[in-house]
Amino acid sequence: MNDLRIIAKIRNGYTGKFGIPRQSGLDGGDLSEIVFEKPYRDPSALKGIEGFSHLWLIWYFSEGEEKDVWSPTVRPPRLGGNTRVGVFATRSPNRPNRIGLSCVQLDGVQDTEKDGRVLLVRGADLMNGTPILDVKPYLSFCDCYPEAKNGFAEAVKDKKLIVTDPNGLMNNLPKEEQNVIVSILEQDPRPSYHNDPERVYAFEKSGFRIRFSTDGKILSVIELIKL
C-alpha cells in the first residue's frame, strides 16, 4: 500500500467541502480540469482516451479527518443524519481508507504550455486540489447495470428543494454557472439534521459566496458576494 502515487489533481471552483455535489453527475455539468503531476505528463499515457465519453476517477479524501479507530456504522445526511447504516453500504467519506470513486464525463483533452495535457471533465464531486490516484475508462457494456437496485438510497434519489432567487441575484452570473449553483442548492447541501428555517448558510463556488436559507422544501438565495 505504500506505493500508491498521486498522479494528478483536480482544478475547479469548489474551494470548500460545503457545497460540493453529493455525488458525481449531480453538479449541473460544471467543468473541471484534471492536471497531471509532472512525472505523469507524458502525452502517450493518454493516447486513445479521447475515444471514451466517461472516465472513472479514483481519488483520496485529502480533507477528511484522520481517525485511529474506524466506525462500522455511519449516519448518511440524506437519511436525516439520525439513521445508522453500515459504512460499506454507503459512500460516506468516513471509512477505513479515505478513497473515493467518481464517474465523470470527458469533455475534451487540452494541450497547455504550463500543465501539459489536461483532461476537461464534467460531473466531478471533488474539491479543488483533490489528489487523484488513478484514471480509468468507463465501459458501458460492463460498468452499467440499468436493473441494479439502489437499496435505501432509492427513497431519497429524487429528493430536491425548490430553489428561488427573489432578488434576481444570480442573473449577474453566466447562465452555465447559474445552472451549476441551482443544481447544488436543489440537492440541499446542509446536513439533513439541520432544520432551522431562520439559519443562514453559505458556500463558496468559483469566486462567489452564496448565502441561503431553507425550510426544507423551498430554498431562497439571500446574498451573492464576489470574493
Side-chain angles (χ1 to χ4, degrees):
M1 291 295 292
N2 293 329
D3 60 351
L4 286 177
R5 297 176 176 88
I6 296 172
I7 66 162
K9 291 183 179 177
I10 201 155
R11 186 161 61 198
N12 57 30
Y14 298 111
T15 54
K17 290 188 289 184
F18 186 69
I20 295 176
R22 292 185 180 276
Q23 301 290 343
S24 56
L26 298 181
D27 67 341
D30 198 21
L31 189 68
S32 296
E33 299 177 343
I34 296 175
V35 181
F36 288 87
E37 299 290 280
K38 288 184 178 180
Y40 307 102
R41 289 183 183 175
D42 187 332
S44 61
L46 296 175
K47 185 177 180 180
I49 201 168
E50 65 278 356
F52 297 93
S53 65
H54 292 75
L55 304 171
W56 287 112
L57 304 182
I58 301 171
W59 49 280
Y60 181 64
F61 284 99
S62 55
E63 296 300 310
E65 296 180 10
E66 289 284 359
K67 296 181 179 180
D68 295 330
V69 180
W70 71 283
S71 173
T73 61
V74 294
R75 296 181 293 181
R78 295 291 275 178
L79 295 183
N82 296 314
T83 303
R84 282 196 171 273
V85 295
V87 65
F88 299 130
T90 74
R91 297 189 177 189
S92 168
N94 300 313
R95 45 203 323 113
N97 293 304
R98 301 202 313 272
I99 296 175
L101 177 68
S102 299
C103 182
V104 296
Q105 179 182 338
L106 178 60
D107 197 67
V109 181
Q110 187 175 74
D111 288 312
T112 69
E113 183 176 347
K114 179 182 177 183
D115 300 316
R117 189 158 290 182
V118 172
L119 299 180
L120 307 178
V121 301
R122 297 186 185 274
D125 55 343
L126 290 71
M127 190 174 79
N128 182 57
T130 295
I132 295 174
L133 303 176
D134 207 354
V135 176
K136 299 176 183 290
Y138 174 96
L139 302 177
S140 62
F141 60 84
C142 61
D143 289 341
C144 180
Y145 295 90
E147 72 281 5
K149 296 180 180 180
N150 296 315
F152 58 78
E154 181 70 27
V156 296
K157 69 181 180 67
D158 295 322
K159 181 181 178 182
K160 288 185 177 181
L161 299 179
I162 299 172
V163 178
T164 64
D165 182 15
N167 299 313
L169 300 174
M170 290 197 293
N171 291 336
N172 297 317
L173 299 176
K175 186 62 177 179
E176 182 174 321
E177 194 68 35
Q178 290 182 43
N179 293 338
V180 169
I181 291 174
V182 168
S183 295
I184 294 171
L185 295 176
E186 283 180 337
Q187 299 298 321
D188 194 353
R190 306 172 305 153
S192 293
Y193 50 85
H194 285 196
N195 55 12
D196 182 359
E198 302 299 322
R199 183 167 178 171
V200 175
Y201 298 85
F203 72 96
E204 295 179 5
K205 170 71 174 67
S206 299
F208 290 89
R209 179 177 295 118
I210 300 96
R211 301 178 72 238
F212 67 91
S213 63
T214 178
D215 61 3
K217 294 182 180 180
I218 297 176
L219 182 148
S220 298
V221 176
I222 296 174
E223 192 174 28
L224 185 67
I225 305 171
K226 186 172 184 178
L227 301 179

